Amino acid sequence: MDWLTFLVEMTKALAWPLVTLAVAIHFRGELRSLLHRVRKGKVGLAEFEFEQTVATLRERIGPSDAAHAPETQAATIRQVEKDPRSVILGAWLEVQVLVDRIVAKHATKEDRQHPGSISLPVLHRLLQNKPEYIDMYNDLKALRNQAVNEANFSPRPASVVEFAELAGELQAVLRRYAE
């Protein structure tokens, strides 16, 4: 193979990768914006669906009122880095314990005759003026299910910490009805 043939073949081989790279560089801002709107997918350690749902929940509920001590946050972050599932499951378990207490205390005879879970009818009745917390309960439950059922579940630590904080806020609302 002579020098000119080699140059032509290399140009043909590199043309599309170089064009793709140039387009990606040119449209990097738009691509970044598009990636933030992706609902489900996985790139490295990013779990888009989990993270997007947590972010949407935070937007709906508003900023957290609770000021967490730095050492508490640091301990949570260390636990998240070791095992994010245990943080999610622990936060959810505390929510579910309160829901079970609420059902035991407030379920009517009609609720108990209802087929399936009676948690939602009881919560709907008690939180009828706070529908955002019913949605929060359902969304957190779905996220907990995702954490339990997806084999390669590995969201960013910040979204797991946010999940735990949201669960804590829901616990504060539910605690009033459980006591």
Side-chain angles (χ1 to χ4, degrees), residues 109-177:
K109 186 176 181 179
E110 293 81 28
D111 290 331
R112 295 182 194 287
Q113 292 174 347
H114 190 271
S117 173
I118 62 173
S119 301
L120 278 177
V122 172
L123 290 177
H124 274 281
R125 188 173 60 253
L126 294 174
L127 298 172
Q128 61 188 346
N129 60 341
K130 299 177 183 181
E132 66 273 15
Y133 290 105
I134 297 293
D135 293 339
M136 187 180 193
Y137 173 81
N138 288 325
D139 289 345
L140 290 175
K141 184 176 183 179
L143 290 171
R144 184 277 325 247
N145 289 343
Q146 182 182 358
V148 168
N149 294 317
E150 288 188 10
N152 296 322
F153 181 75
S154 56
R156 287 188 334 218
S159 62
V160 177
V161 170
E162 188 70 31
F163 176 95
E165 289 176 2
L166 286 163
E169 291 174 38
L170 182 58
Q171 291 167 33
V173 170
L174 295 176
R175 201 166 281 118
R176 294 180 224 147
Y177 299 98

Side-chain angles (χ1 to χ4, degrees), residues 55-76:
T56 302
L57 268 170
R58 174 51 68 205
E59 287 173 15
R60 274 191 283 165
I61 298 301
S64 175
D65 295 335
H68 299 288
E71 57 275 358
T72 304
Q73 278 189 324
T76 302

